[in-house]
Amino acid sequence: MGSKRAKKWKKWKEKEDRISALQDSIIQHILSLLSSTKKAIQTSVLSKRWQKQWTGVPILIFKFHGFSGKDISYISRSIDNTLILHNCLKIQKFHIKSGGYNFAKDPTCNVKLQFAITKQVEELFFEFYGVDKFTFPNFFFNYASLVKLRLTNCTLMPNGRVNWEHLKDLYIEYCLCPTPAIASVVAGSPLLESLEINYCLGFDRLAIASKTLKRLVLANPVEDFVLKISCPNLVEFCVKARDFDGFFRLSAGVIENVLSSSLSLELMELIECDVLEQLVIDSNSLKKLVLVEIQTDAIVISCSNLKELHLYSLFIERIKLMNMQSSICVTVNFNCDYVIYNENLAMILEELGHVKDLNFGPCVIKMLPSLEIRGICSTSINIKRLTFDGGPNFVENLPGIAYALRSSPELKKLVITLRQYECKTPHHFLNLNISGENYWNSKGADFNCLVSHLKIVKIFGVSKHVDQLNLVFNFVEFLFKNARVLEKMVVVMENRRPDFMFEFLKSC
């Protein structure tokens, strides 16, 4: 037994020696990849030579969670002790993130900030989640070496000019920053490339004229917010409304101004916005457009180079799509409280006939059969991948699925997701008296895609309820009998129990 232990000890020592033989730069690079400075310090157990290597790592990351107010002094001392031992001449990253540590009440907070500035920090993250906000001292606004700044629950009130001449990335969230402060920050950051302002208070106006800005994200602006943009190199533009106060009023002229002044714009996202008058999006540069819960009179989209279009829960009655020849992936869903006329839906589908990857929401699925019922015949379209995001009532989805299969002779992949929410049925949706047991058998072989194209079918979120299970089973059985080139069938139950899924497929 003693000899075995000696051999194991010898092997361990050999491994330790190999770890110890690494160069300092390699060890410090490995430590820099860890998620926190605490974990870097804990690696000292690997080897005696690793014990002090963390002191030369140019990255300091402090994370604290679940601490009460009485722990402020303990946390503050632990940070201070780490900073005293740290001997790197220059710091790339200095992060402090806390869910309970009230940094605003730490009497030495400015000392910690001064330490980072003395070390010429380039990336500074102060993310605090508490009642009090940390107010930055005025010397911070004259620190010119910052490249990336991320702040949460802080106060920005510079007294005078801001000098952040190297800052490229600015993210502020739940911060207090009056309109003059935002104006000073923007004016004092001539190289700013990315600006994200989320749920901040104190400002109601943002005017940006920048040749370097490429990304602008605004979340939860005040109701009467005024936005003026002149950014010719802007690539991404996103506006998100208040999560709890309804829609954000956005003038159609602002969108027109962004599109006309930003000739390089590739991504636009508008989420929970009430757009005054008609929303017109006309751009030759846009590649991705996302509209979520938009309330407006009508929407006109004309984007000749658009690759992705995602329309979710739109509160509109008319939508017109033009010049969509480049579109590859499109998601279409509407709020059924606002009726999309059948003729309008038919024109939308006709314009999207070339799209390779098409995703329908539950409300659109239910509206598809009404086209046939009203004498609007389906036309052959070139869809390769079709996704249905349906509600829990699978029987209401059957006519829409059948319509899409009949309209897509070259369909290769079909994905159906059954969500546990119900979409309000449009008033023009007719009860077809569908018998789930015989529905697919009665259809015969009028689906051309089953002959030589459909290869993959996936169905997610199937309930254990007998009625829905039988409907899905009959559909799967129909595909097994008629899809001649089917290669893969995946059915996942709502509870994702693989044994239940296996028995279901085995019975097929």
Side-chain angles (χ1 to χ4, degrees):
M1 294 294 293
S3 61
K4 289 183 178 179
R5 288 179 180 174
K7 290 180 180 179
K8 288 182 178 180
W9 177 252
K10 184 177 180 181
K11 289 182 179 179
W12 168 252
K13 292 296 291 181
E14 290 176 354
K15 290 181 179 179
E16 184 183 23
D17 290 338
R18 287 199 295 270
I19 293 175
S20 301
L22 294 174
Q23 297 178 1
D24 290 354
S25 59
I26 296 177
I27 296 175
Q28 292 173 7
H29 175 71
I30 294 172
L31 296 179
S32 69
L33 300 176
L34 299 177
S35 59
S36 70
T37 300
K38 180 180 179 179
K39 291 184 177 180
I41 296 174
Q42 290 173 342
T43 59
S44 61
V45 299
L46 295 175
S47 169
K48 289 183 179 180
R49 188 163 171 271
W50 283 56
Q51 289 181 355
K52 296 183 179 181
Q53 290 294 333
W54 69 269
T55 63
V57 176
I59 295 176
L60 287 170
I61 300 176
F62 303 96
K63 295 181 179 180
F64 302 98
H65 300 282
F67 289 88
S68 61
K70 62 183 180 181
D71 298 313
I72 292 177
S73 60
Y74 167 77
I75 299 173
S76 181
R77 285 197 306 271
S78 66
I79 296 176
D80 291 339
N81 292 336
T82 303
L83 300 184
I84 291 172
L85 296 173
H86 196 265
N87 57 23
C88 191
L89 297 177
K90 187 175 181 179
I91 297 178
Q92 295 176 3
K93 300 179 182 180
F94 187 82
H95 298 182
I96 300 181
K97 182 176 182 178
S98 171
Y101 167 41
N102 196 337
F103 195 70
K105 291 187 176 182
D106 184 352
T108 64
C109 56
N110 286 348
V111 177
K112 296 176 177 59
L113 178 61
Q114 185 67 59
F115 172 87
I117 292 177
T118 303
K119 296 287 186 175
Q120 298 179 319
V121 64
E122 295 181 356
E123 181 176 304
L124 180 68
F125 285 14
F126 276 6
E127 298 177 90
F128 314 120
Y129 299 90
V131 177
D132 300 307
K133 299 182 185 297
F134 169 65
T135 301
F136 280 94
N138 207 53
F139 68 79
F140 174 66
F141 298 100
N142 290 316
Y143 176 61
S145 297
L146 271 178
V147 176
K148 187 174 183 179
L149 179 62
R150 185 183 182 99
L151 306 176
T152 300
N153 204 36
C154 298
T155 298
L156 296 174
M157 296 182 109
N159 183 14
R161 182 175 176 270
V162 176
N163 182 25
W164 288 344
E165 60 183 24
H166 292 101
L167 187 65
K168 293 184 177 180
D169 192 333
L170 176 60
Y171 176 98
I172 53 178
E173 181 180 43
Y174 299 111
C175 290
L176 176 61
C177 39
T179 300
I182 288 292
S184 297
V185 167
V186 172
S189 308
L191 299 181
L192 196 62
E193 295 180 358
S194 176
L195 175 60
E196 186 164 351
I197 306 176
N198 293 331
Y199 312 102
C200 292
L201 302 174
F203 76 104
D204 58 4
R205 178 181 297 271
L206 180 63
I208 301 180
S210 171
K211 294 182 179 180
T212 60
L213 193 68
K214 297 180 180 179
R215 180 175 181 267
L216 177 61
V217 178
L218 298 174
N220 199 27
V222 297
E223 183 176 353
D224 297 324
F225 186 77
V226 177
L227 177 64
K228 293 184 178 181
I229 298 178
S230 178
C231 304
N233 295 309
L234 193 67
V235 177
E236 297 182 21
F237 175 73
C238 178
V239 175
K240 304 176 184 179
R242 295 175 178 266
D243 291 341
F244 47 86
D245 282 346
F247 292 87
F248 166 58
R249 287 195 170 187
L250 184 66
S251 171
V254 172
I255 304 301
E256 183 181 356
N257 177 43
V258 171
L259 293 172
S260 61
S261 64
S262 308
L263 302 180
S264 302
L265 193 66
E266 295 183 0
L267 169 62
M268 175 179 282
E269 293 184 1
L270 303 178
I271 301 174
E272 295 185 13
C273 295
D274 183 2
V275 182
L276 304 179
E277 301 176 349
Q278 179 176 265
L279 175 60
V280 178
I281 300 178
D282 187 354
S283 171
N284 293 325
S285 62
L286 269 184
K287 294 183 179 179
K288 183 176 180 179
L289 175 62
V290 180
L291 303 178
V292 181
E293 296 191 20
I294 300 299
Q295 184 169 288
T296 185
D297 294 339
I299 295 179
V300 178
I301 300 175
S302 177
C303 303
S304 58
N305 292 304
L306 196 67
K307 303 296 181 184
E308 292 186 43
L309 173 63
H310 301 282
L311 309 174
Y312 299 99
S313 302
L314 302 182
F315 294 83
I316 59 174
E317 294 187 0
R318 302 286 300 178
I319 181 170
K320 185 176 182 180
L321 304 180
M322 300 183 297
N323 300 323
M324 304 290 291
Q325 297 85 356
S326 299
S327 299
I328 298 174
C329 178
V330 177
T331 301
V332 182
N333 191 24
F334 305 106
N335 189 304
C336 287
D337 290 333
Y338 285 70
V339 179
I340 298 293
Y341 298 110
N342 295 311
E343 293 79 4
N344 191 196
L345 180 59
M347 288 188 291
I348 293 173
L349 295 179
E350 184 177 355
E351 183 66 31
L352 301 177
H354 63 282
V355 174
K356 306 297 182 184
D357 193 341
L358 189 58
N359 307 287
F360 285 138
C363 299
V364 176
I365 298 174
K366 294 177 182 180
M367 287 190 286
L368 289 177
S370 63
L371 298 180
E372 288 183 311
I373 294 172
R374 302 228 173 186
I376 303 174
C377 300
S378 62
T379 57
S380 295
I381 52 182
N382 198 30
I383 299 173
K384 298 294 190 300
R385 294 176 298 275
L386 181 61
T387 300
F388 286 109
D389 193 349
N393 195 349
F394 188 64
V395 67
E396 291 187 1
N397 294 333
L398 296 182
I401 294 174
Y403 178 91
L405 289 177
R406 200 161 31 246
S407 303
S408 312
E410 298 183 7
L411 185 66
K412 295 182 178 180
K413 182 177 180 179
L414 175 65
V415 179
I416 301 174
T417 300
L418 301 177
R419 306 286 182 180
Q420 297 311 306
Y421 60 79
E422 186 59 86
C423 173
K424 185 177 179 181
T425 305
H427 71 272
H428 58 269
F429 179 78
L430 303 180
N431 186 355
L432 302 179
N433 292 321
I434 298 170
S435 173
E437 184 176 355
N438 301 316
Y439 180 77
W440 294 107
N441 293 333
S442 66
K443 293 298 177 182
D446 58 345
F447 304 117
N448 294 330
C449 64
L450 302 181
V451 178
S452 58
H453 289 88
L454 188 62
K455 296 182 179 181
I456 300 175
V457 177
K458 296 182 179 181
I459 305 176
F460 298 97
V462 181
S463 170
K464 292 183 291 185
H465 193 277
V466 175
D467 292 341
Q468 186 183 95
L469 196 60
N470 287 336
L471 287 169
V472 175
F473 177 85
N474 291 329
F475 179 54
V476 171
E477 186 179 30
F478 169 77
L479 291 177
F480 277 149
K481 290 180 180 179
N482 295 277
R484 301 179 184 177
V485 295
L486 188 65
E487 297 178 355
K488 186 176 183 179
M489 168 74 73
V490 176
V491 179
V492 180
M493 307 304 296
E494 178 188 356
N495 59 4
R496 297 182 178 274
R497 281 178 51 195
D499 56 335
F500 199 91
M501 180 181 68
F502 174 78
E503 292 297 329
F504 179 79
L505 292 178
K506 184 178 179 181
S507 64
C508 294

